[in-house]
Amino acid sequence: MDMENNPDVESTSKGVILVIDDSPTNLKFLFNTLSKDGFQVLSAEDGESGIEQAIGMQPDIILLDVLMPGIDGFETCRRLKTYEATRDIPVIFMTVLSEPIDKLRGFNAGGVDYVPKPVHHEEVLARINAHLTIQNQQTQLREQTEQLRELNASKDKFFSIVSHDLQ
């Protein structure tokens, strides 16, 4: 099931979300609600195709079911974290598994959050927005750090030239 929005809409969307879930009902619900909130939504019905889409499309965030045929959500997340292209994409687990041990497994696999099913639209949206904000702030911080490194290198070069000229 491929429910991508029109790629032309991407420039006006709030972000790209990949939903990996084997339930067509869940995919449709999340596609409809997140699209209405201004997100571009991609979908996959199993872990393998979800990994392929994530590598190819590099979404801003991934919503991942745990209980799926083939590789489960925990293994899907572990694999996503091994690829450079997908390593830093936040993964939010959405599952009926709600025991603390299951949540711990999700965090140990590389997930950033864990939402119990049935999901509530407002809660999922709040968590998505929080993690996208964190992601954007981390990107800005990396860019600013790189700018500071470049400025520092320029300063060092300038002082080296000044020192040489003074000698």
Side-chain angles (χ1 to χ4, degrees):
M1 176 185 297
D2 189 13
M3 294 188 237
E4 282 184 46
N5 280 348
N6 182 341
D8 297 333
V9 177
E10 184 176 349
S11 61
T12 60
S13 76
K14 291 168 60 175
V16 179
I17 299 174
L18 171 59
V19 180
I20 306 172
D21 195 317
D22 63 324
S23 166
T25 303
N26 290 339
L27 288 173
K28 186 175 182 178
F29 168 76
L30 288 166
F31 176 82
N32 289 336
T33 57
L34 295 172
S35 294
K36 287 177 187 172
D37 286 317
F39 292 99
Q40 179 183 4
V41 183
L42 311 172
S43 64
E45 292 183 352
D46 61 72
E48 293 289 348
S49 61
I51 291 169
E52 288 176 22
Q53 272 205 63
I55 292 170
M57 299 298 291
Q58 297 183 340
D60 298 305
I61 200 159
I62 297 172
L63 302 180
L64 178 58
D65 184 23
V66 173
L67 300 175
M68 297 184 293
I71 61 171
D72 68 12
F74 297 135
E75 180 61 24
T76 300
C77 186
R78 277 191 284 279
R79 291 186 189 182
L80 285 165
K81 298 305 175 183
T82 64
Y83 297 104
E84 188 172 335
T86 57
R87 180 176 297 134
D88 295 327
I89 300 172
V91 175
I92 298 176
F93 287 103
M94 296 185 315
T95 182
V96 295
L97 300 177
S98 60
E99 294 298 317
I101 189 74
D102 297 315
K103 293 176 183 180
L104 189 58
R105 284 183 65 201
F107 292 124
N108 288 335
V112 297
D113 211 337
Y114 202 96
V115 179
K117 286 183 178 178
V119 298
H120 299 279
H121 173 255
E122 294 81 12
E123 179 183 6
V124 172
L125 188 60
R127 290 174 189 248
I128 288 170
N129 286 325
H131 288 291
L132 288 176
T133 298
I134 291 167
Q135 185 86 344
N136 289 335
Q137 290 172 340
Q138 288 174 334
T139 299
Q140 288 175 349
L141 186 58
R142 281 192 294 271
E143 290 170 358
Q144 290 172 345
T145 300
E146 185 56 34
Q147 289 173 348
L148 287 173
R149 282 192 186 116
E150 291 171 7
L151 288 171
N152 197 36
S154 295
K155 175 197 61 116
D156 290 346
K157 185 176 180 180
F158 173 75
F159 283 132
S160 175
I161 292 169
V162 168
S163 175
H164 180 267
D165 287 350
L166 289 173
Q167 291 176 357

